[in-house]
Amino acid sequence: MLRLEARQKTPAWLNLTLPLVAIAVTLILCSGLILMAGAGVLDAYGVMFKASLGDSYAITETLVRAAPMIFTGLAVTLAFRAKFWNIGAEGQLLAGAMASCFVGAIPMPGPLAMLLMAVAGAAAGAAVALIPALLRVRLKVDDVVSSLLLNSVVFYILMALIEGPWKDPFSGYPISPPIEDSANLPVLIEGTRLHLGVLVAVLAAPLVWLLMARTVLGFRIRVTGENPEAARYGGIDVQRVIVVAALLSGALAGLAGVGEVGGVHFQVMSDISPGYGYSGIVIAMLARLNPLGVVPVAIFLAAVMTGAEAMSRATGVPAFLSDVIQGTALLAMLVALLFTAYRVRRSA
Amino acid sequence: MLGFQLGLSVTTPPPLIEMRGISKSFGPVKANEAVDLAVAPGEILGLLGENGAGKTTLMNILFGVYQPDAGDILANGTRVSIRNSADALAAGIGMVHQHFHLASRLTVLENLLIGIPGKSGRLDRAGALVRLDEIAANYGLRLDPDQPVSALSIGEQQRLEIIKALFRRARLLILDEPTAVLAPSEVDGLFAALRAMTTQGLGIIFISHKLNEVRALTHRCVVLRHGRVAGRVDVPAETTALEMAQLMCGHEIVPPERGPSVPGATVLSLDAVSTAGHGGMPLREVTLSVREGEIVGIAGVSGNGQRALADVVSGMLKPQSGMMEIAGKRVAAFTPREVQALGLGRIPEDRMTTGLVTNLPLADSMVLPRIGTEAFSAKGLLKPGAIVAFAEAQIEAYDIRCPGPMVRAGALSGGNLQKALLARELAFDPKVLIAAQPTRGLDIGAARFVHEKFLALRAKRCGIVVVSEDLEELLVLSDRIVVMYEGRIVGVLDAADASVSRLGLLMSGAGGNA
């Protein structure tokens, strides 16, 4: 008979292998769906792999898709470390996209435009995150609910903009005017869409890690998240730390929107984010709230999303499989987390 | 003598429970090693040992929480395998944990019925009421079956836990520090019930740090040290508490020496401090001064303003009116950082929740209050080397038993946690120290360590405030004892004039304004 026994200590190797095991379990579980859709499991996964990581162009496409997910993953990681339950990365991303699009449409020298787009996008994301943070520290409003519901509010503001003042006067399509060409983020490799924002996203991960592990602010965020009472007794202004963490989290999510506007779409439309903000939650959990883990996990999920389209075309399995894989991966990881606190023992 | 007696009684029934050669390791730590233990019907066995000696692990093995690496468990002479609490209950073992496992919104009766299979899908309330009456009649354990648990006092909740075990027909009851949460009068009631159980042939394992209670109640004791049986006490009533304590810590214990000390300048003063607007008893015009080289004890029945006093001094609560000075400087903001910067050291009442961050490395908790100072950071960047070095130095200096500074703080035992908290404050040479319930839940060895540190600090001219509900502790340590009643100071006694009875009278509010 197998039973669970509480662990005294979690071995280090387990922390590294658990996400991999969770992913493996996910792929095995989802292969059942592929079979039901009438395709071969290896065929489907093979096409998926080839289309997302099979050649250098595919890899750049996957990285382009991973960039916003790295930012939202980092945003959620930082907030969750402070136990500020920011489910609003999606709305913060949209706010960042709108603000950077507004700034990017103003004629000015390119580098200045890119910088100001980033600043405006981060500020807009932070502003949206500030609302649930203040509601929580001032009025004790549940941050899960308020940050989640704000996503809809921001989305409808976006819709109002592109259906109203931003609407394309010639075509009548609900899309914003494009940003200036000079404000487009430079492409890193000729002939691909790999833009500067991808590099910034990848570099942001070690920066967030440094912030959490090596700065006084990061220390205060960690302590506040783990035990607010001990934090207060230790002289930490807990409410301030939560607000600061929320602002940083919102800014990171806002930068995800900046990258999409500046490097991929060059304008704002209603489907600018296929749920990157929500993917950020999955990514943060799979990465076990470790900023450095966010990058590989985001690339994995981006590969799944990129590959799912090709798989759908080649094998007829609906592309929704990528959403199922995301959801299953989150559940598998939550179950896997159990094994960091417990171990399985065989008993007579 | 004892062997002779046992030799005669050839028809002795087998022990209710016998543990043979139990060993259990967690990684390199041997929590239990070759432990033998038996409880006969009608016997109360005391299980003694310092924090971390392996008592809890041993009892968790008996209750199926852990599996032993080696050794056997026998119930009524037959080998049993206990894999979970259901197996333990089937073997007749019931456990009353220090922290109760009750559903607070359900009634007494409903709590009893949790997990009991009903008759054709319906709870057997009538049958349960009959059992409840039986238990009340047999052992004097009475509770109103329709009371919600949330309306019960701590003592009544404990009674419910015991009734729960008896309800499930436990023949052996394990009680983990049952008196820690009880008032003295409730302790008498508990002991009477336990004795009544033994007359019915039940066995009891009684875990406690309070050696006088152990001497009064138990028939035999097993003393654990470093996971092994360090000794057995056959006649607890004729063994002194000191002898038992020495068995527990493995060396001789000499009461701490409180040398003479001439108090100097005032280092902490409160002038007509009143508080309002927080849970608990507020302070009412409290005036108090503490001088260097002096230990001032704060006595009082729990809930008479001691917590508010400790909170105000610690910078956790801003008073509504009145003034406080630390080392001659007026406290304005009443924040932890301000009082700390003025030279105040603080030992919080609740180590696990207020003092430490159990899920983070020990080193983090040890530098937490001073993380923003030059010692541990510069320009907003941490100095990880300095943090670890500080923690390592304190672990060494205070003999904190742990695998290292990066271990999860929550993995340490209570005594070691308290040492860590002392270390983090004393490393910065406070001018004044306020310690709330500094030895609550600690074993004798750890409590002694804390007392010695306080006295050494007093010799170094620190002013110390000790808030405690343990009068013995206050009498051993204090130069002066201040008694609080309903948020006011109702008496100040010099150590020479203080006694448990005088303090008790003042604490009850009967002393008037002394």
Side-chain angles (χ1 to χ4, degrees), chain B residues 272-276 283 312 317-324 331-334:
Chain B
V273 169
S274 298
T275 63
L283 293 183
V312 165
L317 175 64
K318 191 172 174 150
Q320 196 184 34
S321 62
M323 192 179 85
M324 182 166 103
V331 177
F334 288 90

Side-chain angles (χ1 to χ4, degrees), chain A residues 3 214 216 227 229 233 235 348, chain B residues 83 337 346 353 356 380 382:
Chain A
R3 58 191 301 279
R214 290 285 184 264
V216 175
N227 184 347
E229 198 181 329
Y233 187 83
Chain B
R83 293 176 305 257
R337 273 197 240 185
R346 308 169 302 150
T353 58
L356 296 144
L382 299 178

